Amino acid sequence: NFMLTQPHSVSESPGKTVTISCTRSSGSIVSNYVQWYQVRPGSSPATVIYENKQRPSGVPARFSGSVDSSANSASLTISGLKPEDEADYYCQSYESRNLVFGGGTKLTVL
Amino acid sequence: QVQLQESGPRLVQPSGTLSLTCAVSSDSIRNTNWWKWVRQSPGKGLEWIGELYHTGETHYNPSLGSRVTISVDKSKNQLSLKLTSVTAADTALYYCARVGAYGDYFGAPFDIWGRGTMVTVSS
């Protein structure tokens, strides 16, 4: 089994750019896709990035995803931050019929 | 659009069995290949409980071991979750969800979630 480690919290000002990392503890980050979910208070999770870098329709282009094999990590980048981006963000990946979520990152837009 | 609604007892006794259902509306449950359960304990992150493939194949979080069972009742168009020998650590908001719009494989991203139902384990 592997783990996905995220920073507990990040904060940034409106209009700025923030990047949230997701580091895989064992096995290669490129072996399986990474998905990203946004959870706003009182709402169900919503997919903001899937298959490392794909954006669902309706998700602004301000959201982007990437994978860094050398760091064995994935990243979610949100540019032009807006107050409504304030939420918890979770990465998710899988292997051998085991699905794993990262611990979540609380994004505060100051 | 497909809608999911979780339901079940809000309070479960320690050592008892947690039983939830997820009603699927606006589509047949047969039209989705992967159905999942996820939970979020108060103040904690998302945790995958397990999932059911349309063949009947199931996969569960190893940390829950043999306590969990996911099944489907196609005649009622609903998904079920049973978790036995519950403790306070099983107190959580339980979500059912499906995979479909963004891929159709184990680990594919969830595209539709229920609103979740809060279950408390306490005497």
Side-chain angles (χ1 to χ4, degrees), chain A residues 1 33 35 37 39 42-47 49-51 56-57 88 90 92 94-103, chain B residues 34 36 38 40 44-48 51 57 59-62 95 102-103 105-111 113-116:
Chain A
N1 293 347
Y33 288 126
Q35 337 288 5
Y37 303 95
V39 186
S43 295
S44 301
T47 303
I49 293 290
Y50 68 98
E51 295 182 354
S57 59
D88 294 329
Y90 294 86
Q92 173 248 301
Y94 55 95
E95 71 170 5
S96 304
R97 299 303 191 237
N98 183 31
L99 192 150
V100 176
F101 285 100
Chain B
W34 293 97
K36 303 171 184 267
V38 174
Q40 183 170 23
K44 297 191 176 181
L46 299 174
E47 180 183 25
W48 172 69
E51 56 197 83
E57 180 182 346
H59 306 284
Y60 302 126
N61 189 322
Y95 294 102
Y102 312 128
Y105 53 90
F106 180 86
F110 306 70
D111 65 337
W113 298 69
R115 295 182 61 85

Side-chain angles (χ1 to χ4, degrees), chain B residues 36-106:
Chain B
K36 303 171 184 267
W37 287 94
V38 174
R39 69 182 183 181
Q40 183 170 23
S41 300
K44 297 191 176 181
L46 299 174
E47 180 183 25
W48 172 69
I49 297 171
E51 56 197 83
L52 174 76
Y53 191 48
H54 72 96
T55 58
E57 180 182 346
T58 52
H59 306 284
Y60 302 126
N61 189 322
S63 69
L64 296 174
S66 60
R67 296 197 298 130
V68 61
T69 302
I70 296 174
S71 60
V72 66
D73 186 332
K74 295 178 182 178
S75 66
K76 295 182 178 179
N77 219 42
Q78 67 184 28
L79 183 71
S80 296
L81 169 69
K82 287 191 188 305
L83 184 64
T84 61
S85 304
V86 297
T87 68
D90 295 308
T91 293
L93 179 62
Y94 286 77
Y95 294 102
C96 63
R98 67 151 228 187
V99 160
Y102 312 128
D104 188 12
Y105 53 90
F106 180 86

